[in-house]
Amino acid sequence: MFKLLITWVLNAIAFLITQRIIDHFLPGQFRLRDVITALIAAFLLGLINSTVRPVLKFLTFPLTILTLGLSSLAINVLCLMFVSWYVPGFQIGGIVPAIVGSIVLSIVSTLLNWFVK
């Protein structure tokens, strides 16, 4: 239970870091209102990644092979955009910030989890 809580907080921190990084390149396109919004977004993204994402990955497996993994990126982007639609205070300004945000969020989250473990 404690490990799950730490992962949740680290993912919220990853959201905040991602927002700061993207704000330098695409100002105002990836917005988080506050830390509570980041915690809610991290929780919802974790919930989606554990329930909906495996089904989508299974259904798009042939497409993933044909596109050499790019459809997996598309699934990540869709999940992130879904979170931005349902979390008040979290806004993504279009598809390009969503793609960049998905990539940066994955990298930052992986690095944070790697440093903690």
Side-chain angles (χ1 to χ4, degrees):
M1 185 68 171
F2 186 68
K3 183 177 178 182
L4 183 64
L5 183 64
I6 294 218
T7 302
W8 176 43
V9 170
L10 285 176
N11 286 336
I13 293 169
F15 263 102
L16 293 169
I17 293 172
T18 300
Q19 189 263 331
R20 297 286 243 173
I21 291 171
I22 292 177
D23 199 39
H24 286 290
F25 300 106
L26 302 167
Q29 297 294 312
F30 193 96
R31 285 178 264 157
L32 283 164
R33 185 177 33 203
D34 54 9
V35 175
I36 300 299
T37 304
L39 285 168
I40 295 169
F43 176 76
L44 187 58
L45 188 62
L47 193 63
I48 290 171
N49 281 342
S50 65
T51 57
V52 177
R53 190 169 177 246
V55 174
L56 288 175
K57 284 189 124 332
F58 177 75
L59 293 174
T60 60
F61 181 68
L63 186 61
T64 302
I65 291 173
L66 288 175
T67 61
L68 301 174
L70 284 179
S71 65
S72 181
L73 175 65
I75 290 171
N76 288 342
V77 170
L78 286 174
C79 290
L80 188 62
M81 289 185 77
F82 181 80
V83 169
S84 75
W85 292 331
Y86 286 100
V87 175
F90 175 41
Q91 299 171 341
I92 298 177
I95 192 72
V96 172
I99 292 170
V100 174
S102 176
I103 293 169
V104 172
L105 185 64
S106 296
I107 292 169
V108 170
S109 180
T110 300
L111 288 174
L112 284 174
N113 285 310
W114 182 68
F115 282 128
V116 170
K117 293 178 183 179

